Amino acid sequence: MRPKASPRSEVALLPGYHSPQLDVEVKLNTNESPEPPPEAFLTELADAVRRIDPHRYPERDARALRHALAEHHGVRPDQVFCANGSNEVLQCLLLAYGGPGRSAIVFEPTYALHSHIARLTGTVVVEGARDEAFAVDPANAVALSVTHDPAMVFLCSPNNPTGNAERHEVVEEIATSASGLVIVDEAYAQFAPFSAASLLGSCPDLVVVRTFSKTWSMAALRLGYLLAHPDVVVACERVALPYHLDALKQLAGVIALAHAEEMNERVSRLVEQRGRLEAGLSELDVDLWPSDANFICFRPRRHAALTVWRGLVERSILIRDISGFPHLDGCLRVTVGTPAENDRFLAALSDVLSS
Ligand SMILES: *Cc1c(COP(=O)(O)O)cnc(C)c1O
């Protein structure tokens, strides 16, 4: 027997969001850091576990973590809101500012969770386009804002899955002219030349969303945050569940920030490897787009994306098939790995493309 109850229509119609996980030797499909966090971070985290009182609720306002993040970014603690991964930050923003009768603009192709969570909250999704280099045209963005009067506009810089960062002036123009919140998802900001955080002082509707999942080698710990005007922080606190941020995660964030230098060294190593991967790919029978992130979007010229993806899986290498994304026919996305992983990927790809 099955339940008589059925979920809301928005939920019933949505496929869940899943990046396929397979047991392979080389995992280059979810843009994680290929390196674990620094050894000292792990030792300090293990010691911190003993300082937690498991029978007490965690500190509700995550004060120490918010102070540490505020200091790291040169903002005030009341401009910081933390959650379980940046996906929960996005969900809180949509719960507070989206909903029935409100709309959100996304520029496809982009991170699928923006429209996915918007739809789950009953927010109308308006899709804008990008140019051939996958950049957002500010005139187009402003025109869409005038027509739809959105509660929020989503930018993603660098954009997942295409890899390009938005230009500073573009973010500024959209952030100063939009009627609602302008949310810049900066999951990969440390790899890019510019962060919208520098515009927070002059654009009160700007929200910058960050995560510890990628650069900070902490995907398993689920920690993300936003930087914004204190009013936005208050709105997010109203919709977040009480005590949503567990005690261990709060400590992990504070400890990680004390190791920013080693985290930045990881970023430099990945940027160097990204250059090597780009050089290797440009010698193969594929078109690729320049990347400001830790992944590269490319398109085999003479092979179907799925054929190449399968050929790599047969060689125990997993990348992301993004050919089903809007405007990305035939495209694949590879995460920058360790030097050995990148070599293996390039050799296997060359092999697959010549068969
Ligand atoms: C990976 C990614 C995230 C990360 O989400 P978390 O919930 O913080 O792990 C957010 N935004 C974009 C664009 C991403 O690619």
Side-chain angles (χ1 to χ4, degrees), residues 283-297:
E283 284 171 16
L284 298 177
D285 196 15
V286 304
D287 292 312
L288 66 148
W289 284 267
S291 170
D292 297 305
N294 67 337
F295 56 84
I296 297 170
C297 175

Side-chain angles (χ1 to χ4, degrees), residues 205-238:
D205 289 296
L206 180 67
V207 181
V208 175
V209 180
R210 292 286 191 103
T211 177
F212 282 71
S213 293
K214 310 286 163 55
T215 341
W216 291 84
S217 303
M218 282 167 60
L221 288 165
R222 315 299 306 127
L223 178 59
Y225 58 98
L226 64 71
L227 308 173
H229 188 278
D231 289 359
V232 177
V233 171
V234 169
C236 287
E237 281 165 349
R238 293 209 174 124

Side-chain angles (χ1 to χ4, degrees), residues 6-15 119-122:
S6 56
R8 278 185 296 122
S9 56
E10 292 96 329
V11 179
L13 286 173
L14 276 175
R119 291 193 174 100
L120 279 177
T121 58

Side-chain angles (χ1 to χ4, degrees), residues 262-274:
E262 290 129 288
M263 300 294 184
N264 289 335
E265 286 163 14
R266 282 165 169 65
V267 173
S268 317
R269 284 197 282 275
L270 286 173
V271 168
E272 193 184 320
Q273 285 302 308
R274 179 178 76 200

Side-chain angles (χ1 to χ4, degrees), residues 30-32 69 72-73 81-90 111 156-158 160 184-191 208-227 249 253 256-257 263 267 294:
T30 41
N31 300 344
E32 294 146 323
L69 281 167
H72 184 75
H73 287 287
F81 170 75
C82 303
N84 293 285
S86 53
N87 285 329
E88 196 189 33
V89 173
L90 298 169
Y111 187 50
C156 190
S157 182
N160 182 7
V184 188
D185 187 334
E186 290 195 345
Y188 306 95
Q190 290 92 333
F191 299 101
V208 175
V209 180
R210 292 286 191 103
T211 177
F212 282 71
S213 293
K214 310 286 163 55
T215 341
W216 291 84
S217 303
M218 282 167 60
L221 288 165
R222 315 299 306 127
L223 178 59
Y225 58 98
L226 64 71
L227 308 173
K249 187 184 325 265
L257 288 163
M263 300 294 184
V267 173
N294 67 337

